[in-house]
Every structure is written in C-alpha cells, then in structure tokens.
Amino acid sequence: FAECGLVRPYEDCTSPAHPEADLTTAQDSETWLPPVYQRGDIARALFYMDLRYFGDGEDDDLVLTDCPGQKKNEMGYLSQLLQWHLDDPPDQAERNRNDRACTRWQGNRNIFVDFPELATQLYGNPQKVVDGTAHKGYPHCTPPLSS
C-alpha cells in the first residue's frame, strides 16, 4: 500500500485504479492506493495483523516496513500506513465493526481502533518521503540515485 510515485515513476500511475473505482484510488505495478475514506481502516487492520498474528517461522510473521522486499513476509509501506491512520482516525462505523468482530466472531478487539494513540507508540511517527532516492522513497532504506 502506498501512493503512486513512491516505488515506480509517477508516470506509471493509473488513477483511478480502474474505471469503476473511487476517484481517490490509484495504482502502479507495485503499489495500490485505496479510497481516502478507507485508508485509516486498512492501516489499523494491518497494524492489528502485525501485532496479533505470529507465523510458524521467521518468514511467516507479517512485518510492516518502509523497506519491503528483503523477505517474503514484509509488507509496506509502514510510514504510509501510519500517515493514513493519523489522517483518517476511527469513526463510529469502524468502532461498531470492531464491536461486532469481537462479540460475533473473534472474541478480541483491534486495539488500534479502541486506542489509536498506540500506533505511534508502537511504530513511531511516519517517516517523510524524499526525492533523490530511487524514484521517491525513505532515505533509511532506499539507496540514493547515482548522478
């Protein structure tokens, strides 16, 4: 999950993601940008999966990162997810869905819906995307372009 232009050149972006998609969606060959009104919900679902589910081995445990691709269990982009979480806080519909998931199926709650502040306490603040890295990216994991 990320905005177009983060991994591939922005020219590779299609927006909306397909003709029937919300106008705020976009995609390229490596990233997908969900509708603006669902981004925070998706981020919190992924935070929950990262925290709650452990795999049988090192490669089976989901890891949210700004630098995906080193291992098959890595999913990005953490800073994008954190920003979406901050920009789209839990609303009543998401809290109601969390209640239903707990009482009807799972027996546990998504703590990032109940306590949104835990996301930055656990993962830190979102890193800033900078130009001058491979397309655009995060300087702590993307080597600079050679001139």
Side-chain angles (χ1 to χ4, degrees), residues 17-81:
H18 64 79
E20 295 178 18
D22 186 271
L23 295 177
T24 63
T25 64
Q27 70 174 2
D28 59 32
S29 62
E30 296 187 44
T31 61
W32 180 70
L33 182 66
V36 69
Y37 56 88
Q38 293 180 333
R39 292 176 192 165
D41 301 42
I42 290 168
R44 285 180 288 281
L46 289 169
F47 296 156
Y48 172 83
M49 290 171 51
D50 180 33
L51 184 66
R52 180 85 172 123
Y53 295 107
F54 301 98
D56 294 333
E58 181 182 315
D59 287 343
D60 297 331
D61 183 28
L62 175 66
V63 175
L64 298 176
T65 179
D66 284 332
C67 315
Q70 302 302 314
K71 297 180 182 178
K72 66 180 181 178
N73 63 324
E74 295 176 337
M75 186 172 197
Y77 288 86
L78 176 59
S79 288
Q80 293 275 287
L81 297 171

Side-chain angles (χ1 to χ4, degrees), residues 110-147:
N110 183 336
I111 63 168
F112 300 104
V113 174
D114 293 333
F115 304 99
E117 67 278 7
L118 292 178
T120 52
Q121 290 176 9
L122 180 63
Y123 295 107
N125 292 312
Q127 299 295 309
K128 299 294 182 199
V129 174
V130 296
D131 290 324
T133 57
H135 305 301
K136 292 191 311 187
Y138 299 101
H140 60 279
C141 61
T142 307
L145 294 173
S146 56
S147 47

Side-chain angles (χ1 to χ4, degrees), residues 73-125:
N73 63 324
E74 295 176 337
M75 186 172 197
Y77 288 86
L78 176 59
S79 288
Q80 293 275 287
L81 297 171
L82 286 164
Q83 192 61 56
W84 295 350
H85 167 72
L86 296 170
D87 292 345
D88 178 27
D91 58 17
Q92 191 58 49
E94 188 176 9
R95 287 189 287 276
N96 291 344
R97 185 174 58 243
N98 196 31
D99 290 340
R100 285 190 311 273
C102 179
T103 58
R104 294 182 186 178
W105 302 292
Q106 293 179 187
N108 59 14
R109 305 180 61 77
N110 183 336
I111 63 168
F112 300 104
V113 174
D114 293 333
F115 304 99
E117 67 278 7
L118 292 178
T120 52
Q121 290 176 9
L122 180 63
Y123 295 107
N125 292 312

